[in-house]
Amino acid sequence: MDSLSGVSEELAEIEGQISDIFRALSNGFQKLEKIKDSNRQSRQLEELTAKMRECKRLIKEFDRESKDFEYKNDSDANKILSERKQSMIKELNSYVALKKQYASNLENKRVDLFEGPGEGFAEENVLLASNMSNQQLMDQGNQMIDETDQAIERSKKVVHETIDVGTETAAALKAQTEQMSRIVNELDSIHFSIKKASKLVKEIGRQVATDRCIMALLFLIVVGVIAIIIVKLVNPSNKDIRDIPGLAPPAPSRKLLWSPN
């Protein structure tokens, strides 16, 4: 790694990361040998497989960086880089082969787990039956029949409970459906009432507007009449203003026929 530092700091860093992964893989496989549980072994293999994928990615990155520095380095430096890359690939392949071996062993254990016990139980039952008398065989058969009947009764009970639960669920769904229908009908009624109220509000608004126009017109007429009366009272000799019907004209000034003078 010290020699790679003189070539490129990036290559030295990548090689350090790959070395760390190789150490983790070595420790992981040693730990895998001590694990007896199949599920834990499977999880450990998945973790090691993920580390190997990361190592493969780093080796490819190391190869790309090496090719970028080929024209800058001399032949000895390029030879060292090529040897390092081949060494890393070889070590990674050894871990890949080891992983395949553990995976194959784990698969064989699972096959034995599913197939072995059934055959063993069958042989054991055959040996037990051969050593029993007729009465023991009948008693054993009756016991098995009783156990089967009990299992059937339990199954029937479960079926009846399931049917009851299904019936209750159907009734609850029916009640909820009816409730939803009532809610929809109430919403329709509310919508209709709101629509009708909106129409009434609009009609009232139009009536109010009409009443206001009439009031304004009456107010203008009253103001005009009052103005004419005032003008007539102030200037009764004005002939341009016609007399208002119903309003008597002002009395003319009286002339005395006899004067004390």
Side-chain angles (χ1 to χ4, degrees):
M1 185 172 177
D2 295 336
S3 59
L4 289 183
S5 300
V7 177
S8 171
E9 293 292 337
E10 296 179 357
L11 290 174
E13 183 180 356
I14 295 172
E15 187 186 26
Q17 294 177 2
I18 295 173
S19 300
D20 293 338
I21 293 177
F22 283 150
R23 282 193 294 271
L25 289 172
S26 178
N27 295 331
F29 280 108
Q30 291 177 3
K31 181 180 177 181
L32 186 62
E33 293 179 357
K34 301 177 182 179
I35 297 175
K36 302 301 181 183
D37 184 62
S38 299
N39 294 327
R40 292 182 58 192
Q41 286 182 350
S42 179
R43 288 195 295 270
Q44 182 70 11
L45 277 178
E46 290 177 359
E47 294 177 1
L48 294 174
T49 303
K51 286 184 173 61
M52 284 186 277
R53 291 196 190 97
E54 179 64 17
C55 184
K56 183 179 179 181
R57 185 189 66 80
L58 290 173
I59 291 174
K60 288 183 178 180
E61 187 176 353
F62 182 89
D63 185 36
R64 287 194 297 269
E65 293 292 336
S66 300
K67 291 179 180 179
D68 291 339
F69 284 98
E70 279 184 354
Y71 68 94
K72 297 181 182 179
N73 302 328
D74 52 13
S75 59
D76 293 336
N78 291 331
K79 183 178 180 182
I80 292 173
L81 293 176
S82 178
E83 291 176 353
R84 292 289 179 87
K85 184 185 75 172
Q86 295 299 327
S87 175
M88 289 184 289
I89 293 174
K90 184 178 180 180
E91 188 171 0
L92 178 60
N93 289 334
S94 65
Y95 285 119
V96 171
L98 192 59
K99 177 253 181 183
K100 290 181 179 179
Q101 181 181 353
Y102 276 104
S104 178
N105 294 335
L106 183 61
E107 189 65 26
N108 292 333
K109 286 182 181 179
R110 289 178 177 175
V111 172
D112 293 339
L113 180 63
F114 285 105
E115 295 181 354
E119 297 174 357
F121 286 144
E123 293 176 358
E124 184 179 357
N125 291 334
V126 171
L127 292 174
L128 288 174
S130 63
N131 294 327
M132 288 182 179
S133 63
N134 292 333
Q135 185 63 35
Q136 289 175 341
L137 288 173
M138 291 178 63
D139 294 339
Q140 184 70 22
N142 291 330
Q143 183 180 356
M144 293 178 65
I145 291 172
D146 292 337
E147 292 177 354
T148 304
D149 291 338
Q150 292 175 3
I152 292 173
E153 291 297 329
R154 288 194 297 269
S155 301
K156 288 181 178 179
K157 185 178 179 181
V158 172
V159 170
H160 287 308
E161 291 177 353
T162 305
I163 292 173
D164 293 339
V165 172
T167 304
E168 293 176 357
T169 304
L173 289 174
K174 184 178 180 182
Q176 291 179 358
T177 303
E178 292 176 354
Q179 185 179 3
M180 290 296 295
S181 298
R182 290 194 298 270
I183 292 173
V184 171
N185 293 332
E186 291 176 359
L187 288 175
D188 291 338
S189 300
I190 292 172
H191 179 70
F192 178 76
S193 299
I194 292 174
K195 189 175 181 181
K196 187 175 181 180
S198 299
K199 291 182 178 179
L200 290 174
V201 169
K202 290 180 181 178
E203 291 178 0
I204 293 172
R206 286 194 293 268
Q207 291 177 0
V208 170
T210 304
D211 293 341
R212 287 182 179 177
C213 292
I214 294 171
M215 293 295 294
L217 182 60
L218 291 175
F219 177 75
L220 292 175
I221 293 172
V222 171
V223 170
V225 171
I226 293 172
I228 293 172
I229 292 172
I230 293 172
V231 172
K232 285 294 256 182
L233 292 175
V234 173
N235 190 7
S237 61
N238 191 351
K239 302 299 183 180
D240 296 330
I241 301 175
R242 300 176 60 184
D243 293 335
I244 299 174
L247 182 63
S253 58
R254 292 182 300 172
K255 294 184 179 180
L256 298 177
L257 298 175
W258 177 81
S259 175
N261 296 327

